[in-house]
Amino acid sequence: VSRDDQGKIVVTLAAIEAKTAIRLPSWMLKQTSRYRVRFSLIGFNFRKEYYEYLEFRDVEISKYEKVEAQQIVFTAEPPKDQILLLSMTLMAYSGNSMNEGGVLLNSREFSPCALIAAFAAEEAGELPGEPIDQLTGIPEQRRANIVLVGYEGNRLIRELGGKVRGKANEAI
Protein backbone atom coordinates (compact mmCIF):
# COMPACT_ATOMS: atom_id res chain seq x y z
CA VAL A 1 0.00 0.00 0.00
CA SER A 2 1.34 3.42 -0.92
CA ARG A 3 0.33 6.93 -1.93
CA ASP A 4 1.01 8.22 -5.41
CA ASP A 5 2.20 11.72 -6.38
CA GLN A 6 -1.40 13.04 -6.26
CA GLY A 7 -1.94 11.61 -2.75
CA LYS A 8 -4.21 8.77 -3.94
CA ILE A 9 -3.96 5.49 -2.04
CA VAL A 10 -2.74 2.63 -4.22
CA VAL A 11 -2.91 -1.07 -3.35
CA THR A 12 -0.62 -3.34 -5.36
CA LEU A 13 -2.21 -6.77 -5.28
CA ALA A 14 -0.17 -9.81 -6.28
CA ALA A 15 -1.67 -12.49 -8.52
CA ILE A 16 -3.96 -14.82 -6.57
CA GLU A 17 -4.71 -18.43 -7.45
CA ALA A 18 -7.70 -19.02 -5.20
CA LYS A 19 -7.42 -22.80 -4.94
CA THR A 20 -3.89 -22.69 -3.49
CA ALA A 21 -3.58 -19.19 -1.99
CA ILE A 22 -6.74 -19.09 0.12
CA ARG A 23 -6.89 -21.43 3.11
CA LEU A 24 -10.31 -22.20 4.52
CA PRO A 25 -11.47 -24.21 7.51
CA SER A 26 -12.33 -27.77 6.42
CA TRP A 27 -16.04 -27.25 7.12
CA MET A 28 -16.14 -24.50 4.44
CA LEU A 29 -14.19 -26.17 1.64
CA LYS A 30 -17.05 -27.87 -0.21
CA GLN A 31 -19.55 -25.05 0.28
CA THR A 32 -17.40 -22.22 -1.07
CA SER A 33 -17.65 -21.32 -4.74
CA ARG A 34 -16.23 -17.80 -4.82
CA TYR A 35 -14.50 -15.11 -2.79
CA ARG A 36 -14.56 -11.37 -2.46
CA VAL A 37 -11.57 -9.41 -1.18
CA ARG A 38 -12.82 -6.04 0.06
CA PHE A 39 -10.59 -3.05 0.66
CA SER A 40 -12.28 -0.38 2.81
CA LEU A 41 -10.92 3.14 3.25
CA ILE A 42 -12.14 4.90 6.40
CA GLY A 43 -11.32 8.44 7.54
CA PHE A 44 -11.27 9.40 11.23
CA ASN A 45 -11.53 12.92 12.59
CA PHE A 46 -11.23 12.70 16.36
CA ARG A 47 -11.33 16.46 16.87
CA LYS A 48 -14.73 16.68 15.15
CA GLU A 49 -15.72 13.31 16.67
CA TYR A 50 -16.70 11.31 13.60
CA TYR A 51 -15.48 8.67 11.20
CA GLU A 52 -16.44 8.30 7.58
CA TYR A 53 -16.60 5.40 5.14
CA LEU A 54 -14.79 6.97 2.20
CA GLU A 55 -14.59 4.22 -0.40
CA PHE A 56 -14.42 0.49 -0.85
CA ARG A 57 -13.13 -1.67 -3.68
CA ASP A 58 -13.88 -5.34 -4.27
CA VAL A 59 -11.92 -8.03 -6.10
CA GLU A 60 -14.12 -11.00 -7.03
CA ILE A 61 -12.45 -14.42 -7.35
CA SER A 62 -13.97 -17.72 -8.38
CA LYS A 63 -12.84 -20.79 -6.41
CA TYR A 64 -10.86 -22.16 -9.38
CA GLU A 65 -9.76 -18.84 -10.88
CA LYS A 66 -6.40 -17.14 -10.99
CA VAL A 67 -6.62 -13.36 -10.73
CA GLU A 68 -3.74 -11.47 -12.31
CA ALA A 69 -1.69 -8.95 -10.36
CA GLN A 70 -3.31 -5.53 -10.31
CA GLN A 71 -3.27 -2.08 -8.81
CA ILE A 72 -6.30 -0.66 -7.06
CA VAL A 73 -6.42 3.13 -6.88
CA PHE A 74 -8.77 4.85 -4.45
CA THR A 75 -10.27 8.02 -5.89
CA ALA A 76 -11.76 9.47 -2.69
CA GLU A 77 -10.46 12.90 -1.72
CA PRO A 78 -10.68 12.89 2.08
CA PRO A 79 -10.46 16.10 4.09
CA LYS A 80 -6.85 16.83 5.00
CA ASP A 81 -7.62 16.64 8.74
CA GLN A 82 -8.64 12.95 8.64
CA ILE A 83 -6.52 10.01 9.75
CA LEU A 84 -6.95 7.28 7.10
CA LEU A 85 -7.16 3.55 7.73
CA LEU A 86 -7.31 0.88 5.04
CA SER A 87 -8.65 -2.57 5.86
CA MET A 88 -8.82 -5.78 3.87
CA THR A 89 -11.51 -8.42 4.40
CA LEU A 90 -11.89 -11.87 2.83
CA MET A 91 -15.46 -13.03 2.29
CA ALA A 92 -16.40 -16.55 1.17
CA TYR A 93 -19.65 -17.29 -0.67
CA SER A 94 -21.49 -20.46 -1.59
CA GLY A 95 -23.19 -20.82 -4.95
CA ASN A 96 -26.94 -20.73 -4.81
CA SER A 97 -29.22 -20.89 -7.84
CA MET A 98 -31.99 -19.15 -5.87
CA ASN A 99 -29.78 -16.19 -5.04
CA GLU A 100 -27.51 -14.97 -7.83
CA GLY A 101 -25.23 -13.26 -5.30
CA GLY A 102 -24.63 -16.42 -3.27
CA VAL A 103 -24.76 -16.87 0.48
CA LEU A 104 -22.08 -15.30 2.66
CA LEU A 105 -20.37 -18.06 4.68
CA ASN A 106 -18.30 -15.87 7.00
CA SER A 107 -19.06 -16.38 10.66
CA ARG A 108 -17.56 -15.74 14.07
CA GLU A 109 -15.21 -18.70 13.46
CA PHE A 110 -14.06 -17.48 10.02
CA SER A 111 -13.97 -13.81 9.18
CA PRO A 112 -10.44 -12.75 8.26
CA CYS A 113 -9.86 -9.01 8.27
CA ALA A 114 -6.85 -6.81 8.90
CA LEU A 115 -5.82 -3.18 8.94
CA ILE A 116 -3.23 -3.02 6.19
CA ALA A 117 -2.30 0.68 6.19
CA ALA A 118 -2.70 3.89 8.15
CA PHE A 119 -1.93 7.45 7.06
CA ALA A 120 -1.57 10.46 9.33
CA ALA A 121 -3.73 13.50 8.73
CA GLU A 122 -2.07 15.98 6.38
CA GLU A 123 -3.26 18.92 8.52
CA ALA A 124 -4.01 19.11 12.23
CA GLY A 125 -7.47 20.66 11.98
CA GLU A 126 -9.02 22.93 14.57
CA LEU A 127 -9.48 22.06 18.23
CA PRO A 128 -13.12 21.59 19.20
CA GLY A 129 -14.81 24.13 21.44
CA GLU A 130 -17.73 21.94 22.52
CA PRO A 131 -18.72 18.35 21.69
CA ILE A 132 -20.07 18.10 18.16
CA ASP A 133 -23.51 16.52 18.05
CA GLN A 134 -24.52 17.21 14.48
CA LEU A 135 -22.97 17.22 11.03
CA THR A 136 -22.85 20.99 10.54
CA GLY A 137 -20.52 22.00 7.77
CA ILE A 138 -20.47 18.51 6.23
CA PRO A 139 -21.84 18.42 2.63
CA GLU A 140 -25.18 16.58 2.33
CA GLN A 141 -23.81 13.87 -0.05
CA ARG A 142 -21.24 12.74 2.58
CA ARG A 143 -23.59 12.56 5.59
CA ALA A 144 -24.90 9.03 4.89
CA ASN A 145 -21.36 7.63 5.24
CA ILE A 146 -20.52 9.42 8.49
CA VAL A 147 -20.86 8.05 12.01
CA LEU A 148 -20.69 10.43 14.99
CA VAL A 149 -18.62 9.17 17.92
CA GLY A 150 -17.56 10.64 21.23
CA TYR A 151 -13.86 11.13 21.87
CA GLU A 152 -12.73 11.48 25.49
CA GLY A 153 -9.52 13.21 24.40
CA ASN A 154 -11.52 16.28 23.34
CA ARG A 155 -13.08 16.62 26.81
CA LEU A 156 -9.63 16.38 28.40
CA ILE A 157 -8.24 19.02 26.03
CA ARG A 158 -11.13 21.38 26.87
CA GLU A 159 -10.64 20.84 30.62
CA LEU A 160 -6.89 21.29 30.40
CA GLY A 161 -7.37 24.44 28.30
CA GLY A 162 -9.65 25.92 30.96
CA LYS A 163 -7.16 25.17 33.73
CA VAL A 164 -4.27 26.65 31.74
CA ARG A 165 -6.31 29.81 31.00
CA GLY A 166 -7.29 30.01 34.72
CA LYS A 167 -3.64 29.79 35.83
CA ALA A 168 -2.68 32.49 33.30
CA ASN A 169 -5.38 34.82 34.71
CA GLU A 170 -4.16 34.19 38.29
CA ALA A 171 -0.61 35.19 37.29
CA ILE A 172 -1.84 38.54 35.98
Side-chain angles (χ1 to χ4, degrees):
V1 179
S2 61
R3 287 188 103 161
D4 66 12
D5 295 338
Q6 292 79 39
K8 303 286 186 207
I9 294 176
V10 179
V11 176
T12 303
L13 190 62
I16 301 171
E17 189 164 349
K19 189 171 178 154
T20 57
I22 299 174
R23 304 271 190 236
L24 296 177
S26 58
W27 58 270
M28 288 180 73
L29 288 173
K30 288 185 180 179
Q31 300 175 63
T32 304
S33 63
R34 65 183 180 83
Y35 306 97
R36 174 179 294 147
V37 179
R38 172 164 288 173
F39 297 93
S40 301
L41 181 61
I42 304 166
F44 288 83
N45 187 321
F46 292 108
R47 290 184 173 182
K48 293 184 180 175
E49 301 185 21
Y50 74 90
Y51 64 90
E52 177 178 9
Y53 295 99
L54 296 166
E55 186 175 354
F56 71 89
R57 295 297 183 92
D58 290 340
V59 176
E60 302 282 340
I61 308 168
S62 169
K63 184 176 185 174
Y64 301 104
E65 180 182 11
K66 179 179 181 181
V67 175
E68 296 303 319
Q70 58 187 289
Q71 281 197 328
I72 300 164
V73 180
F74 287 84
T75 59
E77 295 183 18
K80 294 188 181 298
D81 60 354
Q82 284 187 347
I83 296 168
L84 303 178
L85 293 179
L86 183 64
S87 69
M88 183 174 90
T89 305
L90 175 66
M91 295 175 271
Y93 292 88
S94 69
N96 182 339
S97 59
M98 297 292 288
N99 180 352
E100 197 173 295
V103 175
L104 179 64
L105 299 172
N106 288 45
S107 65
R108 187 176 295 198
E109 293 79 28
F110 178 82
S111 192
C113 180
L115 291 176
I116 59 172
F119 298 93
E122 295 176 38
E123 296 175 2
E126 59 191 57
L127 289 173
E130 290 299 320
I132 297 169
D133 60 0
Q134 55 185 331
L135 298 174
T136 13
I138 305 286
E140 190 70 35
Q141 66 271 21
R142 287 180 47 211
R143 291 183 184 182
N145 296 329
I146 292 178
V147 178
L148 294 174
V149 293
Y151 177 57
E152 188 65 13
N154 288 339
R155 183 188 63 77
L156 295 171
I157 289 170
R158 285 189 294 274
E159 283 181 11
L160 182 61
K163 287 178 183 176
V164 169
R165 281 190 294 275
K167 295 280 186 197
N169 290 338
E170 287 176 20
I172 296 176

